[in-house]
Amino acid sequence: MTIPHHVAIVMDGNGRWARQRYLPRVAGHRQGVEALRRCVRACADRGIKVLTVFAFSSENWNRPQEEVSGLMDLLITALSGEVKPMHESGVRICFVGDRSRVSEKVRAGFAKAEQLTLTNQKITLNVCFNYGGRWDIAQAAQRVAARGQVITEDALNQEVATAHVSDPDLLIRTGGEFRISNFLLWQCAYSELYFSEKLWPDFDEAALDTALLAFAQRERRFGKTSEQVSNVAVAA
Ligand code: FPP
């Protein structure tokens, strides 16, 4: 079975998971961290080399103050509790997004986790935090322009916030919504899209395997015809 090199996930549905249980929304996010930990392990076990997750979008600041501070607290707890075991499992952790708006404490936690796990090779986990796809394209263009270079696709590819990895092969969104929500807009040009009805805290190994099976059955044509793609497959 063809396993994607890079999987990206919009982890949606934490709030609904909590509401169904008459719990505060942040309890759903806490369960979301558990689901993320399981997912990283499951992806590594299956030979996926890069996992990129949307943990906090540029627009999430507009949520109720209580939820935003709950997410920040959860992030700080995760930085102190999750990084070491991930490091021991060979996970390289990278934080992707605009760090100018996060606290000094969080910024220091990001830098420490990245430094500790820098040379790990089992799987790369990109945690998108205060990330937006439009922000990413704009910041990449600004960097290219600041060097006085022409803004080309190659130049932008080298400056987007995920330039250290290849583009996602598979983009999963949980929670039953059919949107990209300003996630990796530039990088998902040719990603296969997969939408799961499962709420993120319920997205388990079986659900991941269902998504991977669907991916394996897709024909990726990258703009070519089906005949061209299957001729290449025969020749290879
Ligand atoms: C979307 O669900 C989820 C988020 C906005 C946060 C995702 C965060 C995690 C899974 C935890 C990992 C992150 C940190 C901070 C360590 P939603 O709240 O929009 O759910 P709903 O659509 O059911 O309301």
Side-chain angles (χ1 to χ4, degrees):
M1 189 168 101
T2 311
I3 292 288
H5 176 84
H6 182 174
V7 175
I9 308 185
V10 179
M11 307 180 290
D12 195 16
N14 296 342
R16 278 164 286 165
W17 185 94
R19 197 172 61 224
Q20 285 170 1
R21 289 160 181 79
Y22 304 100
L23 294 169
R25 291 180 60 84
V26 73
H29 296 315
R30 202 171 298 122
Q31 206 59 37
V33 175
E34 301 282 323
L36 177 55
R37 185 193 310 127
R38 287 195 311 263
C39 187
V40 174
R41 196 174 46 227
C43 286
D45 286 349
R46 284 153 182 76
I48 292 162
K49 298 307 288 181
V50 184
L51 174 65
T52 300
V53 295
F54 208 0
F56 192 89
S57 79
S58 327
E59 291 74 32
N60 285 153
W61 295 105
N62 299 323
R63 292 195 172 199
Q65 178 55 36
E66 185 186 311
E67 184 171 349
V68 172
S69 55
L71 277 163
M72 294 300 152
D73 289 347
L74 204 53
L75 174 66
I76 289 167
T77 308
L79 284 169
S80 63
E82 306 288 341
V83 172
K84 192 162 173 272
M86 284 200 186
H87 173 53
E88 286 162 2
S89 309
V91 181
R92 177 184 175 194
I93 306 173
C94 302
F95 291 91
V96 172
D98 180 0
R99 296 187 193 194
S100 65
R101 205 172 159 184
V102 297
S103 70
E104 188 50 50
K105 187 175 179 183
V106 167
R107 259 204 299 263
F110 285 177
K112 198 170 156 199
E114 288 180 336
Q115 207 161 11
L116 176 71
T117 64
L118 184 65
T119 57
N120 290 344
Q121 291 188 355
K122 179 82 179 157
I123 187 169
T124 296
L125 171 65
N126 294 315
V127 179
C128 295
F129 202 89
N130 194 23
Y131 177 86
R134 290 179 175 178
W135 164 83
D136 195 0
I137 296 167
Q139 69 81 29
Q142 279 163 16
R143 284 180 203 239
V144 176
R147 286 200 303 266
Q149 287 177 349
V150 179
I151 296 174
T152 61
E153 287 192 27
D154 282 347
L156 288 181
N157 274 331
Q158 284 166 36
E159 294 299 340
V160 287
T162 57
H164 58 292
V165 294
S166 57
D167 287 345
D169 301 292
L170 171 63
L171 171 69
I172 299 172
R173 182 180 184 131
T174 63
E177 313 265 16
F178 305 101
R179 284 191 291 277
I180 303 282
S181 296
N182 199 19
F183 197 28
L184 305 160
L185 297 178
W186 176 267
Q187 296 88 333
C188 280
Y190 281 102
S191 304
E192 293 296 325
L193 306 183
Y194 179 86
F195 298 95
S196 167
E197 288 295 323
K198 292 247 185 206
L199 303 177
W200 173 247
D202 296 326
F203 192 80
D204 55 12
E205 290 201 25
L208 175 67
D209 286 333
T210 306
L212 293 177
L213 186 62
F215 172 81
Q217 289 166 348
R218 304 268 177 96
E219 180 185 64
R220 303 189 74 194
R221 293 200 288 275
F222 299 97
K224 295 184 178 171
T225 66
S226 186
E227 289 70 25
Q228 285 175 304
V229 174
S230 49
N231 285 344
V232 171
V234 169

